[in-house]
Amino acid sequence: HFSVRENEEFLMQSGSFTTDCNQFIPVQTTKLGEKTRLNQIITIGDGEVALNVISIIDSDTIKVKIMNNGIIYFRKEFNMGYCRDKNYLLEEYKSINEQTNFLEPDYVAIPYVEETFNDELKKIFLQKNYKPELIIKIENKISDENLIKICADKDYKMILIDRGELGVNIPFEKVGLWQKKICKIAKQHKKIVVVSTQILE
């Protein structure tokens, strides 16, 4: 882990490792400079540390200003906003699938992005000999119609409400209200719900 203080400035660079975070902080996102914009707010983890992009150095490197005191932990989520590169996500989950094949997990949790994308994502895990049970993660506000479709989808054995991601992607004071709504609709469809992360906070 790496401690940071408000108003400190750091370079962040696409990569998986560095010997010195003061030189640059590695981010496991390719072409980081092409996927960010000036003055964009980025959060790490469940919003514990916020960063402001103050300069785009090149296609792999950005300069950020720390917005609050905190600790950046290894392999924490790097939240650049909910609009994700779907091709990148598919490739990332294909890689995860290949790396964990030998484990034959009983369950695999995948994020809900949108129906067409998730149909593609499901194929990655369901075209296997042992076919793990799928848990669908709700990380953002979605329509009642899509939530009902998720509850009716027999491929999803459980719904996981990711409160940490929700608190980053929607106003955090609305997380409890959205959680209640998901639970109510899921209960109507007899779908198991797991309420996860940031319960006390």
Side-chain angles (χ1 to χ4, degrees):
H1 64 273
F2 182 65
S3 297
V4 293
R5 299 189 64 79
E6 185 176 353
N7 292 324
E8 284 185 324
E9 296 180 3
F10 291 95
L11 292 180
M12 305 199 94
Q13 190 174 99
S14 297
S16 57
F17 178 77
T18 182
T19 54
D20 183 3
C21 284
N22 287 299
Q23 185 179 13
F24 73 88
I25 299 171
V27 179
Q28 291 186 319
T29 297
T30 57
K31 302 292 183 186
L32 181 62
E34 295 178 10
K35 294 175 181 173
T36 50
R37 63 185 186 280
L38 283 176
N39 298 315
Q40 179 177 352
I41 303 301
I42 295 170
T43 58
I44 295 177
D46 289 330
E48 293 92 348
V49 176
L51 323 164
N52 183 18
V53 179
I54 58 174
S55 177
I56 296 173
I57 309 297
D58 57 39
S59 63
D60 289 320
T61 313
I62 61 174
K63 189 174 191 179
V64 299
K65 179 180 278 191
I66 306 296
M67 298 178 70
N68 61 286
N69 297 342
I71 299 173
I72 298 175
Y73 290 95
F74 179 63
R75 293 189 68 85
K76 276 287 189 174
E77 183 83 15
F78 191 72
N79 306 294
M80 297 189 296
Y82 198 68
C83 237
R84 304 178 188 178
D85 181 333
K86 292 172 186 172
N87 290 328
Y88 170 77
L89 260 184
L90 280 174
E91 291 306 312
E92 188 174 31
Y93 273 89
K94 282 178 185 174
S95 174
I96 290 169
N97 181 37
E98 289 166 6
Q99 291 174 38
T100 59
N101 244 333
F102 73 98
L103 296 171
E104 297 190 359
D106 294 320
Y107 295 92
V108 172
I110 60 175
Y112 181 80
V113 178
E114 51 89 14
E115 189 176 2
T116 306
F117 171 81
N118 276 83
D119 285 343
E120 290 298 309
L121 194 52
K122 283 195 295 187
K123 288 176 189 173
I124 294 171
F125 296 99
L126 296 180
Q127 292 178 345
K128 303 170 82 160
N129 293 332
Y130 62 91
K131 289 187 175 58
E133 305 277 14
L134 292 183
I135 302 171
I136 188 72
K137 296 191 295 178
I138 306 296
E139 302 174 338
N140 207 338
K141 188 170 181 179
I142 60 176
S143 69
D144 289 2
E145 180 186 357
N146 283 335
L147 187 53
I148 289 167
K149 284 181 180 177
I150 288 169
C151 290
D153 191 327
K154 290 183 171 49
D155 289 330
Y156 300 130
K157 299 304 176 188
M158 299 180 213
I159 294 174
L160 187 148
I161 302 173
D162 189 333
R163 289 171 50 94
E165 286 293 307
L166 274 174
V168 169
N169 292 319
I170 67 172
F172 70 86
E173 67 274 13
K174 295 184 178 179
V175 169
L177 298 172
W178 186 227
Q179 174 183 315
K180 282 186 176 184
K181 186 171 193 175
I182 295 169
C183 289
K184 180 181 177 183
I185 293 174
K187 188 176 180 181
Q188 289 168 353
H189 291 81
K190 297 181 171 55
K191 185 72 77 174
I192 296 171
V193 179
V194 178
V195 179
S196 171
T197 78
Q198 308 299 351
I199 304 297
L200 296 177
E201 289 184 303

